[in-house]
Amino acid sequence: MKRLVKTMVLSLLLVSLLTSGTWAVSITHLTYVHHGDAFLRYLETKAAEFKELTGIEVEIIVGNQEKFKTMLAGGADPDIHDLPDFDYLALSGYYVDIIPLLKKDGLLRQFNPGLIKSMSAKNGALYKVPQGIASVVGFFNRTMFLEAGITPPDRLGSEYDWEAVIQLGKKLTRDADGDGVPETFGVDRGYAYWRRAVAQAGGRFYEYDDQGQPIKSLWNTPEVEQGLSFVARMWEEGIIPWMRVPRHDEYFFWTGKTGIDIVDATGIIGSYLSQVSFDWDMTLLPAGPKGPIASGAGGYGPNIMASTKHLDEAWEWCKFLFINKSNMEDMMALVGTVPALISAQPAYAAIANLRDKNYQAIFDALNYLPPPEYGAVPQELSARSVNVNDVILGKVPVRQFLQQLHIQKQAIVDDLRRAGK
């Protein structure tokens, strides 16, 4: 019955496209290389189905941030892209507002209103097609904990906090043969946790005006210092493999060589964790001064470029991928991600084979979202573009680094305000 309904819906889509004269159109979808092979297979499979049903060809391009910049510079904008780090382009009118499209097709109620609000800009515009919920949870290697006789994070309750991560990480970091290179580490990629740690300390990087424009740097505030200092301490304690072994990627969480992962979202479940040999599970992030805040959690999805010459076709492709219950169930089976589409969510645990996992943590994490950083700041102000390596490695004092950064960022803010940007 499900497949019959799907066929009927797609047949109506086909008729609509044929009557509108959009046959034989080609669109491009630039997808992020680090979304993984499973997501790429989903896109390629659905592109073939979409072409068969509509005649519209979708060219899937795999790339990174530099690839996207090159395409923009060369005037070869994709019709759609799903890369991170480019939200700031919305300020310059690069993206289509999805709200009118959802309303036109009567699809707005297919999503949680709170999720739509959390994904929207301060002006009410929604620049991403609602695809999934990226809850940031605390993954842990239960096998490693039990073999070491250590209480795993899900049994610590409120005691699972920053200090617990330090102490657990020290116990799980082991150099059994004494060659100076640990066989296991406590925490995977803890260096990448610093922005989330700032949020957990109650910090923000900028103060914004009513239009969502940054007006004041907050880089030198105590909360930002507290968050960055925690991450620097993880490295100082020697519990993360980064910059301590020749290849720290050999210790990524899914290799089974690290006990705790506090940097990844649920997207790794269906991609990297689907074939591992150890027992893993989830819990809330370790609590910081303001609790287990999951900075960065919430809704996500692709952007439709305002420069597209095929908006109708690009929108139909996005609906086919992410606002179609049957297809979203297919995506869950392949990728393991949590769908934003309400009608597809009840099947998540069974399809993703998580019935023996604490999958409720994925939804509980959405109760610990930090206040939104309104406004998509330009790249020169983005926290993601700040290199904090020297601070984490102890080469530069945290406070000194942040004060210098504050002066630099405030100058940029002032220049942008004077220029009216």
Side-chain angles (χ1 to χ4, degrees):
M1 175 61 73
K2 181 177 71 173
R3 295 295 174 182
L4 176 60
V5 172
K6 176 181 176 181
T7 301
M8 293 174 62
V9 170
L10 293 175
S11 296
L12 291 174
L13 168 63
L14 174 59
V15 171
S16 173
L17 292 170
L18 285 172
T19 55
S20 62
T22 56
W23 185 264
V25 167
S26 177
I27 59 175
T28 54
H29 182 152
L30 175 63
T31 187
Y32 192 33
V33 62
H34 295 302
H35 283 331
D37 292 339
F39 184 65
L40 178 58
R41 287 198 304 273
Y42 175 70
L43 292 182
E44 291 175 339
T45 300
K46 294 305 169 183
E49 292 181 12
F50 191 65
K51 181 177 181 180
E52 182 179 354
L53 290 163
T54 67
I56 299 171
E57 182 173 354
V58 182
E59 180 185 2
I60 307 298
I61 304 171
V62 181
N64 57 13
Q65 288 84 347
E66 291 306 314
K67 175 69 174 179
F68 183 48
K69 292 177 183 178
T70 299
M71 294 178 73
L72 293 183
D77 302 12
D79 296 285
I80 301 151
H81 85 82
D82 57 41
L83 278 68
D85 300 331
F86 293 102
D87 287 353
Y88 69 92
L89 291 178
L91 296 174
S92 302
Y94 274 73
Y95 300 139
V96 172
D97 180 6
I98 307 300
I99 292 293
L101 300 177
L102 290 170
K103 289 182 176 179
K104 174 178 67 71
D105 292 340
L107 296 172
L108 195 55
R109 293 186 179 181
Q110 296 294 316
F111 304 96
N112 183 293
L115 179 68
I116 295 297
K117 182 178 180 180
S118 72
M119 293 178 65
S120 298
K122 200 166 186 178
N123 63 3
L126 175 66
Y127 296 112
K128 293 182 180 294
V129 178
Q131 171 184 337
I133 299 172
S135 291
V136 181
V137 296
F139 293 95
F140 63 95
N141 184 327
R142 189 182 297 278
T143 298
M144 187 181 293
F145 273 90
L146 296 182
E147 287 180 350
I150 303 171
T151 302
D154 63 333
R155 299 180 187 174
L156 292 177
S158 61
E159 295 181 4
Y160 187 48
D161 55 15
W162 283 1
E163 185 60 31
V165 169
I166 298 292
Q167 299 308 319
L168 293 173
K170 291 165 69 173
K171 293 177 181 178
L172 293 170
T173 302
R174 296 186 170 189
D175 179 11
D177 58 14
D179 66 353
V181 180
E183 291 79 27
T184 61
F185 278 90
V187 183
D188 174 23
R189 289 166 294 153
Y191 64 90
Y193 194 67
W194 69 274
R195 294 188 304 277
R196 196 160 296 131
V198 167
Q200 289 189 303
R204 296 187 302 155
F205 299 112
Y206 301 99
E207 181 180 322
Y208 296 87
D209 63 17
D210 291 339
Q211 284 71 48
Q213 301 297 313
I215 58 175
K216 181 180 179 182
S217 163
L218 301 176
W219 279 96
N220 63 343
T221 54
E223 295 83 1
V224 178
E225 180 180 351
Q226 189 175 23
L228 189 52
S229 295
F230 165 64
V231 176
R233 185 185 170 199
M234 281 196 288
W235 193 88
E236 181 182 5
E237 295 285 0
I239 63 176
I240 56 178
W242 174 70
M243 300 298 288
R244 292 189 180 276
V245 294
R247 291 190 56 182
H248 75 276
D249 59 332
E250 295 178 352
Y251 292 81
F252 284 168
F253 179 71
W254 42 88
T255 68
K257 295 181 180 180
T258 42
I260 297 172
D261 177 0
I262 52 177
V263 301
D264 282 307
T266 50
I268 69 169
I269 292 174
S271 53
Y272 296 108
L273 295 180
S274 60
Q275 301 296 326
V276 299
S277 59
F278 60 89
D279 184 19
W280 61 271
D281 212 333
M282 298 170 278
T283 188
L284 290 176
L285 287 174
K290 297 297 182 180
I293 294 173
S295 177
Y300 66 91
N303 301 98
I304 298 178
M305 302 293 294
S307 58
T308 180
K309 297 179 181 178
H310 305 292
L311 176 58
D312 290 341
E313 292 80 7
W315 174 235
E316 292 299 335
W317 165 241
C318 288
K319 287 195 298 180
F320 181 73
L321 286 177
F322 307 124
I323 316 181
N324 178 300
K325 181 175 180 290
S326 178
N327 283 343
M328 288 304 290
E329 290 176 353
D330 290 343
M331 191 185 80
M332 282 188 281
L334 271 174
V335 187
T337 51
V338 186
L341 187 67
I342 292 175
S343 60
Q345 291 175 357
Y348 172 70
I351 291 177
N353 196 26
L354 296 179
R355 284 171 291 192
D356 64 337
K357 307 294 183 185
N358 178 29
Y359 64 86
Q360 187 58 41
I362 295 171
F363 302 100
D364 290 344
L366 297 176
N367 295 321
Y368 295 94
L369 295 177
E373 282 269 6
Y374 282 123
V377 297
Q379 190 170 16
E380 60 264 37
L381 293 178
S382 171
R384 290 180 64 93
S385 66
V386 174
N387 187 329
V388 298
N389 290 357
D390 285 348
V391 177
I392 296 175
L393 296 174
K395 297 179 179 180
V396 180
V398 175
R399 184 169 299 179
Q400 175 185 326
F401 174 84
L402 291 176
Q403 181 58 33
Q404 292 174 345
L405 193 62
H406 163 71
I407 294 172
Q408 296 170 5
K409 298 303 183 184
Q410 186 61 54
I412 295 173
V413 168
D414 293 340
D415 287 345
L416 291 174
R417 288 177 63 79
R418 281 193 292 269
K421 294 182 180 180

